[in-house]
Coordinates of all heavy atoms in Angstrom, one line a residue:
R1 N -14.6 12.1 -14.9 CA -14.1 12.8 -13.7 C -12.6 13.1 -13.8 O -12.1 13.9 -13.0 CB -14.3 11.8 -12.6 CG -15.8 11.6 -12.3 CD -16.0 10.5 -11.2 NE -15.3 10.8 -10.0 CZ -15.1 9.9 -9.0 NH1 -15.7 8.8 -9.0 NH2 -14.5 10.3 -7.9
S2 N -11.8 12.5 -14.7 CA -10.4 12.7 -14.8 C -10.1 14.0 -15.5 O -10.7 14.3 -16.6 CB -9.7 11.5 -15.5 OG -8.3 11.9 -15.7
P3 N -9.2 14.8 -15.0 CA -8.8 16.0 -15.7 C -8.0 15.7 -17.0 O -7.9 16.6 -17.9 CB -7.9 16.8 -14.7 CG -7.4 15.7 -13.8 CD -8.4 14.7 -13.7
S4 N -7.4 14.5 -17.1 CA -6.7 14.2 -18.3 C -6.9 12.7 -18.6 O -6.0 11.8 -18.4 CB -5.2 14.4 -18.1 OG -4.7 13.8 -16.9
P5 N -8.1 12.3 -19.1 CA -8.4 10.9 -19.3 C -7.5 10.2 -20.3 O -7.2 9.0 -20.0 CB -9.8 10.9 -19.9 CG -10.0 12.3 -20.4 CD -9.2 13.2 -19.5
D6 N -7.0 10.8 -21.3 CA -6.0 10.1 -22.2 C -4.7 9.8 -21.5 O -4.2 8.7 -21.7 CB -5.8 11.0 -23.5 CG -7.0 11.1 -24.4 OD1 -7.9 10.3 -24.3 OD2 -7.0 12.1 -25.2
M7 N -4.3 10.7 -20.7 CA -3.0 10.4 -19.9 C -3.3 9.3 -18.9 O -2.4 8.5 -18.7 CB -2.5 11.7 -19.3 CG -1.8 12.7 -20.2 SD -0.3 11.9 -20.9 CE 0.6 11.6 -19.3
A8 N -4.5 9.4 -18.3 CA -4.8 8.3 -17.3 C -4.8 7.0 -17.9 O -4.3 6.0 -17.3 CB -6.2 8.6 -16.7
L9 N -5.3 6.9 -19.2 CA -5.3 5.6 -19.8 C -3.9 5.1 -20.2 O -3.6 4.0 -20.2 CB -6.2 5.6 -21.1 CG -7.7 5.8 -20.8 CD1 -8.5 6.0 -22.1 CD2 -8.3 4.7 -20.0
F10 N -3.1 6.1 -20.7 CA -1.7 5.8 -21.0 C -1.0 5.4 -19.8 O -0.1 4.5 -19.8 CB -1.0 6.9 -21.7 CG 0.4 6.6 -22.2 CD1 0.6 5.7 -23.2 CD2 1.5 7.1 -21.5 CE1 1.9 5.4 -23.6 CE2 2.8 6.8 -21.9 CZ 3.0 5.9 -23.0
G11 N -1.3 5.9 -18.6 CA -0.7 5.5 -17.4 C -0.8 4.0 -17.1 O 0.0 3.4 -16.5
I12 N -2.0 3.5 -17.5 CA -2.2 2.1 -17.3 C -1.2 1.3 -18.1 O -0.7 0.2 -17.7 CB -3.7 1.7 -17.7 CG1 -4.6 2.4 -16.7 CG2 -3.9 0.2 -17.7 CD1 -6.1 2.2 -17.1
R13 N -0.9 1.7 -19.3 CA 0.1 1.0 -20.1 C 1.5 1.2 -19.5 O 2.3 0.3 -19.6 CB 0.1 1.6 -21.5 CG -1.2 1.3 -22.3 CD -1.1 1.8 -23.8 NE -2.4 1.7 -24.4 CZ -2.8 0.6 -25.0 NH1 -2.0 -0.5 -25.0 NH2 -4.0 0.5 -25.6
I14 N 1.7 2.3 -18.8 CA 3.0 2.5 -18.2 C 3.2 1.4 -17.1 O 4.3 0.7 -17.1 CB 3.2 3.9 -17.6 CG1 3.2 4.9 -18.7 CG2 4.4 4.0 -16.7 CD1 3.2 6.4 -18.1
H15 N 2.2 1.2 -16.2 CA 2.4 0.2 -15.2 C 2.1 -1.2 -15.6 O 2.4 -2.2 -14.9 CB 1.7 0.6 -13.9 CG 0.2 0.7 -13.9 ND1 -0.6 -0.4 -14.1 CD2 -0.6 1.8 -13.8 CE1 -1.9 0.0 -14.1 NE2 -1.9 1.3 -14.0
S16 N 1.5 -1.4 -16.8 CA 1.2 -2.7 -17.3 C 2.4 -3.3 -18.1 O 2.6 -4.5 -18.0 CB 0.0 -2.7 -18.2 OG -1.2 -2.3 -17.5
A17 N 3.1 -2.5 -18.8 CA 4.1 -2.9 -19.8 C 5.5 -2.2 -19.7 O 6.5 -2.9 -19.7 CB 3.5 -2.8 -21.2
I18 N 5.5 -0.9 -19.7 CA 6.7 -0.2 -19.8 C 7.6 -0.4 -18.6 O 8.8 -0.8 -18.7 CB 6.4 1.3 -20.0 CG1 5.7 1.5 -21.3 CG2 7.8 2.1 -20.0 CD1 5.3 3.0 -21.6
V19 N 7.1 -0.2 -17.4 CA 7.9 -0.4 -16.2 C 8.3 -1.8 -16.0 O 9.5 -2.1 -15.7 CB 7.1 0.1 -14.9 CG1 7.8 -0.3 -13.6 CG2 6.9 1.6 -15.0
P20 N 7.4 -2.8 -16.2 CA 7.9 -4.2 -16.1 C 9.0 -4.6 -17.1 O 9.9 -5.3 -16.8 CB 6.6 -5.0 -16.4 CG 5.5 -4.1 -16.0 CD 6.0 -2.8 -16.4
A21 N 8.9 -4.0 -18.3 CA 9.9 -4.3 -19.3 C 11.3 -3.8 -18.9 O 12.3 -4.5 -19.0 CB 9.5 -3.7 -20.7
V22 N 11.3 -2.6 -18.3 CA 12.6 -2.0 -17.9 C 13.1 -2.7 -16.7 O 14.3 -3.0 -16.7 CB 12.3 -0.5 -17.6 CG1 13.6 0.1 -16.9 CG2 12.0 0.3 -18.8
V23 N 12.3 -3.0 -15.7 CA 12.8 -3.7 -14.6 C 13.3 -5.1 -14.9 O 14.4 -5.5 -14.4 CB 11.6 -3.8 -13.5 CG1 12.0 -4.8 -12.4 CG2 11.2 -2.5 -13.0
M24 N 12.6 -5.8 -15.8 CA 13.0 -7.2 -16.2 C 14.4 -7.1 -16.9 O 15.2 -8.0 -16.8 CB 11.9 -7.8 -17.0 CG 12.2 -9.3 -17.3 SD 12.1 -10.3 -15.7 CE 13.3 -11.5 -16.1
L25 N 14.5 -6.1 -17.8 CA 15.8 -6.0 -18.5 C 17.0 -5.8 -17.6 O 18.0 -6.4 -17.7 CB 15.7 -4.8 -19.5 CG 17.0 -4.6 -20.4 CD1 17.4 -5.8 -21.2 CD2 16.8 -3.3 -21.2
I26 N 16.8 -4.9 -16.7 CA 17.9 -4.6 -15.7 C 18.2 -5.8 -14.9 O 19.3 -6.2 -14.6 CB 17.5 -3.4 -14.8 CG1 17.4 -2.1 -15.6 CG2 18.5 -3.2 -13.7 CD1 16.8 -0.9 -14.9
A27 N 17.2 -6.5 -14.4 CA 17.3 -7.7 -13.6 C 18.1 -8.8 -14.3 O 19.0 -9.5 -13.8 CB 16.0 -8.2 -13.1
T28 N 17.7 -9.0 -15.6 CA 18.4 -10.0 -16.4 C 19.8 -9.7 -16.6 O 20.7 -10.6 -16.5 CB 17.6 -10.2 -17.8 OG1 16.3 -10.4 -17.5 CG2 18.2 -11.3 -18.6
L29 N 20.2 -8.5 -16.9 CA 21.6 -8.1 -17.1 C 22.4 -8.3 -15.8 O 23.5 -8.7 -15.9 CB 21.6 -6.6 -17.6 CG 21.1 -6.4 -19.0 CD1 21.0 -4.9 -19.3 CD2 21.9 -7.1 -20.0
L30 N 21.8 -7.9 -14.7 CA 22.5 -8.1 -13.4 C 22.7 -9.6 -13.1 O 23.7 -10.0 -12.6 CB 21.7 -7.4 -12.3 CG 21.8 -5.9 -12.3 CD1 20.9 -5.3 -11.2 CD2 23.2 -5.4 -12.1
F31 N 21.7 -10.4 -13.4 CA 21.8 -11.9 -13.2 C 23.0 -12.4 -14.1 O 23.8 -13.2 -13.6 CB 20.5 -12.5 -13.6 CG 20.6 -14.1 -13.6 CD1 20.4 -14.7 -12.4 CD2 20.7 -14.8 -14.7 CE1 20.5 -16.1 -12.3 CE2 20.8 -16.2 -14.7 CZ 20.7 -16.8 -13.5
W32 N 23.1 -11.9 -15.3 CA 24.1 -12.3 -16.2 C 25.5 -12.0 -15.6 O 26.4 -12.8 -15.7 CB 23.9 -11.6 -17.5 CG 24.8 -12.1 -18.7 CD1 25.7 -13.0 -18.7 CD2 24.6 -11.7 -20.0 NE1 26.3 -13.2 -19.9 CE2 25.6 -12.4 -20.8 CE3 23.8 -10.7 -20.7 CZ2 25.8 -12.2 -22.2 CZ3 24.0 -10.6 -22.1 CH2 24.9 -11.3 -22.8
R33 N 25.6 -10.9 -14.9 CA 26.8 -10.4 -14.4 C 27.2 -11.2 -13.1 O 28.4 -11.5 -12.9 CB 26.8 -8.9 -14.1 CG 28.0 -8.3 -13.4 CD 29.2 -8.3 -14.4 NE 30.3 -7.6 -13.8 CZ 31.2 -8.2 -13.0 NH1 31.1 -9.6 -12.8 NH2 32.2 -7.6 -12.5
L34 N 26.2 -11.5 -12.2 CA 26.5 -12.0 -10.9 C 26.5 -13.5 -10.8 O 27.2 -14.1 -10.0 CB 25.5 -11.3 -9.9 CG 25.6 -9.8 -9.7 CD1 24.5 -9.3 -8.8 CD2 27.0 -9.4 -9.1
Y35 N 25.6 -14.1 -11.5 CA 25.3 -15.6 -11.3 C 26.2 -16.4 -12.3 O 26.1 -16.3 -13.5 CB 23.9 -15.9 -11.6 CG 23.4 -17.3 -11.3 CD1 22.9 -17.5 -10.0 CD2 23.6 -18.3 -12.2 CE1 22.4 -18.8 -9.7 CE2 23.1 -19.6 -11.8 CZ 22.6 -19.8 -10.6 OH 22.2 -21.1 -10.3
D36 N 27.2 -17.1 -11.7 CA 28.2 -17.8 -12.5 C 28.2 -19.3 -12.3 O 29.2 -19.9 -12.5 CB 29.6 -17.2 -12.3 CG 30.1 -17.4 -10.8 OD1 29.2 -17.8 -10.0 OD2 31.3 -17.2 -10.5
L37 N 27.1 -19.9 -11.9 CA 27.1 -21.3 -11.6 C 26.9 -22.0 -13.0 O 25.7 -22.2 -13.4 CB 26.0 -21.7 -10.6 CG 26.3 -21.4 -9.2 CD1 25.1 -21.7 -8.3 CD2 27.5 -22.2 -8.7
T38 N 28.0 -22.4 -13.6 CA 27.9 -23.2 -14.8 C 27.6 -24.6 -14.6 O 27.7 -25.1 -13.4 CB 29.3 -23.1 -15.5 OG1 30.3 -23.7 -14.7 CG2 29.7 -21.6 -15.8
P39 N 27.3 -25.4 -15.6 CA 27.0 -26.8 -15.4 C 28.2 -27.6 -14.7 O 28.0 -28.5 -13.9 CB 26.8 -27.4 -16.8 CG 26.3 -26.2 -17.6 CD 27.0 -25.0 -17.0
E40 N 29.4 -27.2 -15.1 CA 30.6 -27.8 -14.5 C 30.6 -27.6 -12.9 O 30.9 -28.5 -12.1 CB 31.9 -27.3 -15.1 CG 32.1 -27.8 -16.5 CD 31.2 -27.0 -17.5 OE1 30.7 -25.9 -17.2 OE2 30.9 -27.6 -18.6
K41 N 30.4 -26.3 -12.5 CA 30.4 -26.0 -11.1 C 29.2 -26.7 -10.4 O 29.4 -27.2 -9.2 CB 30.3 -24.5 -10.9 CG 31.5 -23.7 -11.4 CD 31.4 -22.2 -11.2 CE 32.6 -21.5 -11.7 NZ 32.4 -20.0 -11.6

């Protein structure tokens, strides 16, 4: 039924792995920048 079954299958990989990897990388870098509670603090 899909007009582009190969693309539809690759789309599953986009929302399974590619988008989560990008979002997690950005979130980790922002945490590194903003969160400064060291053990001493």
Side-chain angles (χ1 to χ4, degrees):
R1 297 173 55 188
S2 172
S4 53
D6 289 340
M7 281 298 297
L9 294 176
F10 183 70
I12 295 173
R13 295 186 187 274
I14 292 175
H15 62 68
S16 300
I18 296 175
V19 171
V22 172
V23 171
M24 190 66 213
L25 178 60
I26 294 172
T28 304
L29 292 173
L30 289 173
F31 175 81
W32 193 353
R33 177 71 177 84
L34 296 172
Y35 189 93
D36 64 348
L37 283 177
T38 62
E40 291 75 21
K41 292 178 181 178

